[in-house]
Amino acid sequence: MARQTPAGRVPIRRRLQLLRNWELFNVTFFLVLLAWWIQATAPSTWFVTSFSVGLVCYLLLQGGVYWHIKGQSVAHGAARMPEYFCTLFTVLRRSSVVLLIGFPVIASIAWTLSLTTVREIAWSSALTGFAALEYVNYYHYQLMHDTENDVRF
């Protein structure tokens, strides 16, 4: 027999699904944009930009996973996140830090070996800045969701 969902949970579940889907759409959007850019411009250098886009996508995927798990918790009437959540997100948080720290290393190596340009470094740095903001949003201070207004909602 199907479990009845209290009426108040339906809008929250839909909102969590929307947030999850939006994060996953953005992953696809960034990857398509990267593929288009490589195809359209045939850049002589694109490794650093690809790393940055990959980093942004990795963090956006983490957001999609978070909203999915949170939505599943709400759907099943759980007040807390599942047991595996803390371990999973500790691993994701640490790996994100390693990748964020890895960007300047990779960019420096590419620059030293003349595998990149100033323009690519600038664009890649901006993308990595966006990834850093996503990291802060997910793991330190909610910049966009689960703010006081969201909790009241």
Side-chain angles (χ1 to χ4, degrees):
M1 177 183 247
R3 187 177 192 172
Q4 293 291 329
T5 303
R9 283 197 193 142
V10 173
I12 292 170
R13 284 178 57 200
R14 285 188 186 136
R15 182 168 182 263
L16 294 173
Q17 288 172 344
L18 175 68
L19 291 169
R20 176 200 63 200
N21 294 345
W22 184 247
E23 297 282 15
L24 299 177
F25 169 80
N26 285 327
V27 170
T28 305
F29 175 74
F30 273 103
L31 292 174
V32 167
L33 197 60
L34 176 65
W36 170 82
W37 174 73
I38 290 170
Q39 176 66 31
T41 64
S44 58
T45 64
W46 52 270
F47 176 74
V48 179
T49 302
S50 296
F51 179 85
S52 297
V53 169
L55 181 56
V56 169
C57 290
Y58 182 62
L59 280 148
L60 290 171
L61 279 171
Q62 291 173 42
V65 169
Y66 171 79
W67 293 120
H68 179 74
I69 293 171
K70 193 166 191 166
Q72 293 299 308
S73 294
V74 169
H76 293 99
R80 305 179 119 187
M81 297 293 261
E83 293 291 323
Y84 65 86
F85 175 79
C86 286
T87 303
L88 172 65
F89 273 78
T90 297
V91 169
L92 292 173
R93 180 178 54 84
R94 289 179 181 164
S95 64
S96 296
V97 168
V98 169
L99 292 171
L100 284 165
I101 291 169
F103 171 75
V105 173
I106 287 172
S108 298
I109 291 169
W111 180 258
T112 302
L113 298 175
S114 298
L115 299 175
T116 189
T117 62
V118 171
R119 187 176 192 173
E120 184 185 23
I121 294 289
W123 277 106
S124 299
S125 295
L127 286 167
T128 301
F130 177 69
L133 286 173
E134 286 295 309
Y135 171 81
V136 168
N137 186 48
Y138 294 159
Y139 295 108
H140 295 284
Y141 182 78
Q142 290 292 308
L143 302 172
M144 296 171 14
H145 303 291
D146 284 351
T147 61
E148 288 182 34
N149 288 333
D150 288 336
V151 170
R152 278 194 297 270
F153 173 75

